[in-house]
Coordinates of all heavy atoms in Angstrom, one line a residue:
Q82 N 70.3 13.4 0.5 CA 70.7 14.0 -0.8 C 71.5 15.3 -0.6 O 71.3 16.2 -1.4 CB 69.6 14.0 -1.8 CG 69.1 12.7 -2.2 CD 68.2 12.6 -3.4 OE1 68.2 13.6 -4.1 NE2 67.6 11.5 -3.7
L83 N 72.2 15.4 0.5 CA 73.1 16.6 0.6 C 74.3 16.3 -0.3 O 74.8 15.2 -0.5 CB 73.6 16.7 2.0 CG 72.5 17.0 3.1 CD1 73.0 16.9 4.5 CD2 71.8 18.3 2.9
L84 N 74.9 17.4 -0.9 CA 76.1 17.2 -1.7 C 77.3 16.9 -0.8 O 77.6 17.7 0.1 CB 76.3 18.5 -2.5 CG 75.3 18.8 -3.6 CD1 75.7 20.0 -4.4 CD2 75.2 17.6 -4.6
P85 N 77.9 15.7 -1.0 CA 79.0 15.3 -0.1 C 80.2 16.1 0.0 O 80.9 16.2 1.0 CB 79.3 13.9 -0.6 CG 78.9 13.9 -2.0 CD 77.7 14.8 -2.1
S86 N 80.5 16.9 -1.1 CA 81.7 17.7 -1.2 C 81.5 19.1 -0.6 O 82.5 19.9 -0.4 CB 82.2 17.8 -2.6 OG 81.2 18.5 -3.4
L87 N 80.3 19.4 -0.2 CA 80.0 20.7 0.4 C 79.7 20.6 1.9 O 79.0 19.6 2.3 CB 78.8 21.4 -0.3 CG 78.9 21.7 -1.8 CD1 77.6 22.4 -2.3 CD2 80.1 22.5 -2.1
N88 N 80.1 21.5 2.7 CA 79.7 21.4 4.1 C 78.3 21.8 4.3 O 77.6 22.2 3.3 CB 80.7 22.3 5.0 CG 80.6 23.8 4.7 OD1 79.5 24.3 4.4 ND2 81.7 24.5 4.8
L89 N 77.8 21.7 5.5 CA 76.3 21.9 5.7 C 75.9 23.3 5.4 O 74.8 23.5 4.8 CB 76.0 21.6 7.2 CG 76.3 20.2 7.7 CD1 75.7 20.0 9.1 CD2 75.8 19.1 6.7
L90 N 76.7 24.3 5.7 CA 76.4 25.7 5.4 C 76.3 25.9 3.9 O 75.4 26.5 3.4 CB 77.4 26.6 6.0 CG 77.2 28.1 5.8 CD1 75.9 28.6 6.6 CD2 78.4 28.9 6.3
Q91 N 77.3 25.3 3.2 CA 77.3 25.5 1.7 C 76.1 24.8 1.1 O 75.6 25.2 0.1 CB 78.6 24.9 1.2 CG 79.8 25.8 1.5 CD 81.1 25.0 1.3 OE1 81.2 23.8 1.3 NE2 82.2 25.8 1.0
N92 N 75.7 23.6 1.6 CA 74.5 22.9 1.1 C 73.3 23.8 1.2 O 72.4 23.7 0.3 CB 74.3 21.6 1.9 CG 75.0 20.4 1.2 OD1 74.4 19.9 0.2 ND2 76.1 20.0 1.7
I93 N 73.2 24.6 2.3 CA 72.0 25.4 2.4 C 72.1 26.7 1.6 O 71.1 27.2 1.1 CB 71.8 25.8 3.9 CG1 71.6 24.5 4.7 CG2 70.7 26.8 4.1 CD1 71.7 24.7 6.2

Side-chain angles (χ1 to χ4, degrees):
Q82 295 197 10
L83 299 170
L84 291 180
S86 61
L87 300 182
N88 63 36
L89 301 189
L90 183 67
Q91 292 167 333
N92 266 282
I93 297 168

